[in-house]
Amino acid sequence: MFLFYCDTNKKYPSFPSPFTIPEMKKTLAFVYLLLCYTLTISAQSKITRYSGTIKGYHPDMGFKTVQLSNNNAVTGLYSSYLINIAADGTFEVALPLTREQEVWVGFPFFNSPIYLEPGKELIQNFDITSPSAVTSVFKGVPATVNNDINKVRPILMDFDWDAIDKAIYSMTPEQYKLYFQQIQQRKLSQIDSIAKKGAFNKTAYDLAQRNVKYSTADLLIFYRHMMESAYRHVNKLSFDNKQPLSKPVKPDSSYYSFLKELKYNDPLALRSYNYFILINRLMYMEPVYDQARTEGADYEKELAILKTKDTSDLGIKNTINHYEEMIARNATIPGALERARPVVFKKLLPVSSSMETDIVYLQSITREMDINKDTLSAEKLATIKSNVKNPFLLADVYTLDNTIKESIRNAKTQKGYSYNQLAATTANDSMLTTILEKYKGKVIFIDFWATWCGPCMDAIKRIAPLKEELAGDKNIVFLYITNTSSPEKSYDVIMPGIKGEHYRLSTDQFNQLSGMFNIVGIPHYAIVDKRGTIINKNFIWTQNDQVKEQLLRLEKE
């Protein structure tokens, strides 16, 4: 993939130029278009391998799998891949990659981004014989970048959250901003100091710099969330209550001046793992919600009025609860956020942020494509093309469109699943008995899930190898229950790829089960024994062996 590095802060010697100013502008425009064209052509998926060894590993350590997450900043979507660790500590995973970029790997001893290049193999060899001094060395084509990032990784990952929470929980917005900007400056200086000691790869340096700057921007954008979290930690308060407990000062527009200090409209930003997070923060930052709430009901104003009335009245009490829930959820009317973002971006971001504006626009489309498993019509594609100023970004949209088309085709040939429907006459209070009766004499693993739930889909992938292992055991059933929040078209595409028994219930039916199983969020798991008795209403698991042990033990009873 063709890439170039340009440090705008570096001072270069002057040379006589053969170009006039207009000619230089034309040349720079041509170079930028060439880069965009190259990026578009290059954005074809290539199978990329990540492998390695873990010296000192033993299966009894409590983990046999880890996950790799590949975030796509253009689509706003991510793919997770299960990495199986062999008994001898070797591991390997293959994934399609469209561009060189950082992905996240989650070993218990190494939770950090690594840098991959399409079609190349990266080898990471760990030594965990000393748990307090874990080391890793990279080999393969992308090794130079990763080994140099290893030199500054302790700086990048240095966040003492206990100390930070104690420091920030009573700060004003400006004090908070200055606090994290000083941390940023310290980290950038430390990186520069290490880079100057010897040859330091330019891509590694660029990624390290972006990591620090983007993560700082993330924290600054998330001011109120961070203040709420710090307040609860310092005061040892529960996180179960979704209502805000702290009352930090609301930042004014001048607080967000740091946004104009970031570098925008730079295709190389797509390499950074933290750029994906930055885009998400920009999309859902508080000024966007403030602008969106100018449409529809002002819940905070209405709530203040209601609280002056007779709050013992059941109707008023219920309305207050509803408004408080809407405020906690940052609820807005449909389409308001999409309309608010261009307005806010124009005020807070530099004019030269067309790539970020394009990405935010494309994410509003690609997320709907993914949730509903919709492919692009010719008319829709023409509209998208006319609205996007950076056409190289469209390659990711084309890839997603093709992926959805392939999923639709594959759904028609999948085996190993069974879709069940309850009779229309089934009463809600007898619904669970009706479902479980079909599997009497078998141990049941119940998974409450939804097609739009990322953690649900990750866990379904993670448990798939165990289901294959137990496929010949007819006394164990994997039961998947969702509701109509899983769009029918999406459900019809995804469900056939999940081996097991399936039910898609109405909202009322699912609510009935939610009460029985104390479901407050998904994914949620439960275990039922051969007699139809619920053994565990909220089964917590992280490794397949935990599930296997429980199921096999109940099978023997």
Side-chain angles (χ1 to χ4, degrees):
M1 182 174 178
F2 170 77
L3 290 170
F4 64 85
Y5 175 84
C6 178
D7 184 354
T8 56
N9 296 317
K10 187 173 181 179
K11 303 300 181 184
Y12 294 95
S14 342
F15 295 97
S17 172
F19 297 106
T20 63
I21 295 299
E23 286 173 333
M24 288 179 68
K25 288 182 177 178
K26 289 179 182 177
T27 302
L28 289 172
F30 172 76
V31 170
Y32 176 74
L33 289 173
L34 178 62
L35 173 61
C36 293
Y37 174 76
T38 307
L39 286 169
T40 304
I41 297 301
S42 302
Q44 305 297 322
S45 294
K46 294 181 180 179
I47 297 301
T48 305
R49 299 189 183 281
Y50 170 59
S51 63
T53 59
I54 307 173
K55 184 180 179 181
Y57 172 78
H58 192 278
D60 291 340
M61 287 181 167
F63 65 97
K64 296 179 182 177
T65 61
V66 295
Q67 283 199 294
L68 179 151
S69 293
N70 178 15
N71 293 355
N72 187 310
V74 178
T75 64
L77 305 174
Y78 74 93
S79 301
S80 62
Y81 299 87
L82 189 71
I83 302 176
N84 290 301
I85 304 171
D88 64 356
T90 58
F91 62 88
E92 181 178 3
V93 68
L95 64 149
L97 204 66
T98 57
R99 63 172 60 85
E100 53 188 55
Q101 68 176 87
E102 290 180 308
V103 300
W104 191 276
V105 289
F107 290 91
F109 45 82
F110 183 91
N111 217 0
S112 182
I114 57 171
Y115 174 78
L116 299 179
E117 294 181 6
K120 310 298 183 182
E121 181 173 16
L122 177 68
I123 301 166
Q124 186 173 17
N125 294 323
F126 293 101
D127 186 343
I128 64 170
T129 50
S130 175
S132 61
V134 173
T135 61
S136 73
V137 177
F138 292 92
K139 296 181 180 179
V141 174
T144 303
V145 175
N146 285 285
N147 282 324
D148 277 356
I149 290 177
N150 259 358
K151 297 174 184 176
V152 297
R153 200 180 302 276
I155 299 169
L156 302 179
M157 307 301 289
D158 179 21
F159 287 100
D160 183 347
W161 289 112
D162 287 337
I164 289 172
D165 284 345
K166 290 176 183 176
I168 70 171
Y169 87 103
S170 60
M171 285 183 176
T172 66
E174 287 302 322
Q175 290 171 335
Y176 175 92
K177 180 166 73 169
L178 179 61
Y179 177 82
F180 280 109
Q181 285 177 330
Q182 289 173 339
I183 291 177
Q184 171 180 288
Q185 189 54 51
R186 171 174 57 81
K187 289 189 174 187
L188 292 176
S189 297
Q190 289 173 334
I191 291 169
D192 282 342
S193 177
I194 291 174
K196 289 174 183 176
K197 290 180 179 178
F200 199 89
N201 181 271
K202 287 184 177 181
T203 297
Y205 181 79
D206 179 60
L207 288 170
Q209 291 266 319
R210 290 182 192 272
N211 182 305
V212 173
K213 292 176 181 178
Y214 292 158
S215 63
T216 301
D218 297 340
L219 293 169
L220 297 185
I221 292 171
F222 243 35
Y223 165 74
R224 292 188 77 174
H225 171 84
M226 289 291 295
M227 293 296 283
E228 177 70 22
S229 176
Y231 181 83
R232 296 193 187 209
H233 274 137
V234 171
N235 292 288
K236 297 180 173 58
L237 301 174
S238 170
F239 281 79
D240 294 337
N241 182 359
K242 302 303 179 185
Q243 303 298 329
L245 301 179
S246 65
K247 295 182 179 179
V249 177
K250 187 172 183 176
D252 60 23
S253 59
S254 65
Y255 170 84
Y256 294 94
S257 60
F258 66 88
L259 290 175
K260 292 191 177 181
E261 298 169 8
L262 294 172
K263 187 177 181 180
Y264 297 92
N265 218 34
D266 180 7
L268 297 186
L270 296 170
R271 302 187 301 190
S272 170
Y273 181 87
N274 276 359
Y275 183 70
F276 173 94
I277 301 172
L278 174 65
I279 292 294
N280 181 269
R281 296 289 189 259
L282 291 173
M283 291 177 68
Y284 297 101
M285 61 181 171
E286 193 168 0
V288 170
Y289 276 102
D290 290 343
Q291 177 66 31
R293 281 193 289 264
T294 60
E295 304 180 35
D298 185 337
Y299 293 113
E300 291 184 352
K301 181 178 178 180
E302 295 294 330
L303 183 62
I305 294 171
L306 280 173
K307 286 185 175 180
T308 65
K309 300 183 181 297
D310 180 10
T311 55
S312 64
D313 180 275
L314 184 60
I316 292 176
K317 188 175 181 179
N318 288 339
T319 305
I320 287 175
N321 290 338
H322 172 68
Y323 283 174
E324 287 179 341
E325 183 183 352
M326 292 298 103
I327 293 169
R329 287 172 47 202
N330 263 331
T332 58
I333 65 174
L337 288 174
E338 287 75 14
R339 291 186 289 273
R341 286 170 186 137
V343 176
V344 174
F345 286 8
K346 189 174 181 180
K347 293 177 183 176
L348 300 183
L349 303 188
V351 176
S352 59
S353 58
S354 67
M355 188 177 89
E356 286 67 30
T357 302
D358 280 350
I359 288 174
V360 169
Y361 164 70
L362 289 174
Q363 284 196 15
S364 68
I365 294 167
T366 53
R367 288 185 176 180
E368 287 300 311
M369 289 173 63
D370 182 63
I371 289 172
N372 298 312
K373 292 297 177 270
D374 281 337
T375 56
L376 294 173
S377 64
E379 294 77 13
K380 182 68 173 177
L381 184 56
T383 300
I384 294 171
K385 286 181 176 179
S386 67
N387 289 332
V388 170
K389 295 179 181 178
N390 297 270
F392 74 91
L393 297 172
L394 295 175
D396 294 87
V397 181
Y398 301 150
T399 299
L400 175 62
D401 190 52
N402 289 331
T403 300
I404 293 172
K405 288 176 180 176
E406 184 178 2
S407 297
I408 293 171
R409 288 193 298 269
N410 291 342
K412 297 175 182 178
T413 59
Q414 295 285 0
K415 297 179 180 179
Y417 72 95
S418 176
Y419 176 57
N420 304 275
Q421 288 181 296
L422 293 171
T425 55
T426 304
N428 283 354
D429 57 1
S430 62
M431 174 182 48
L432 181 61
T433 303
T434 303
I435 292 174
L436 297 182
E437 182 65 29
K438 180 178 178 181
Y439 312 109
K440 195 169 183 179
K442 300 181 180 183
V443 181
I444 309 170
F445 176 87
I446 306 179
D447 183 341
F448 296 93
W449 72 294
T451 58
W452 45 263
C453 168
C456 299
M457 300 307 300
D458 286 346
I460 286 169
K461 289 181 183 178
R462 196 162 70 246
I463 205 170
L466 175 61
K467 289 159 62 177
E468 290 295 333
E469 182 182 343
L470 301 176
D473 192 330
K474 303 304 180 184
N475 294 317
I476 294 176
V477 172
F478 289 86
L479 175 61
Y480 294 88
I481 300 176
T482 188
N483 62 9
T484 52
S485 71
S486 294
E488 187 171 7
K489 186 175 179 180
S490 175
Y491 183 74
D492 289 344
V493 172
I494 295 174
M495 180 268 293
I498 305 171
K499 293 182 178 180
E501 298 287 318
H502 290 269
Y503 287 84
R504 181 172 177 266
L505 305 179
S506 69
T507 300
D508 287 343
Q509 289 171 331
F510 195 87
N511 288 343
Q512 180 80 10
L513 292 186
S514 294
M516 293 179 178
F517 288 91
N518 300 324
I519 300 173
V520 293
I522 55 174
H524 185 97
Y525 309 97
I527 302 288
V528 178
D529 70 11
K530 293 186 288 186
R531 294 180 294 276
T533 303
I534 301 171
I535 298 300
N536 192 329
K537 289 185 176 183
N538 185 20
F539 180 66
I540 308 295
W541 64 281
T542 56
Q543 295 290 324
N544 286 349
D545 282 353
Q546 295 170 271
V547 182
K548 180 180 177 180
E549 180 184 356
Q550 179 81 328
L551 298 181
L552 293 181
R553 181 178 62 78
L554 290 173
E555 185 184 24
K556 293 176 181 177
E557 292 182 355

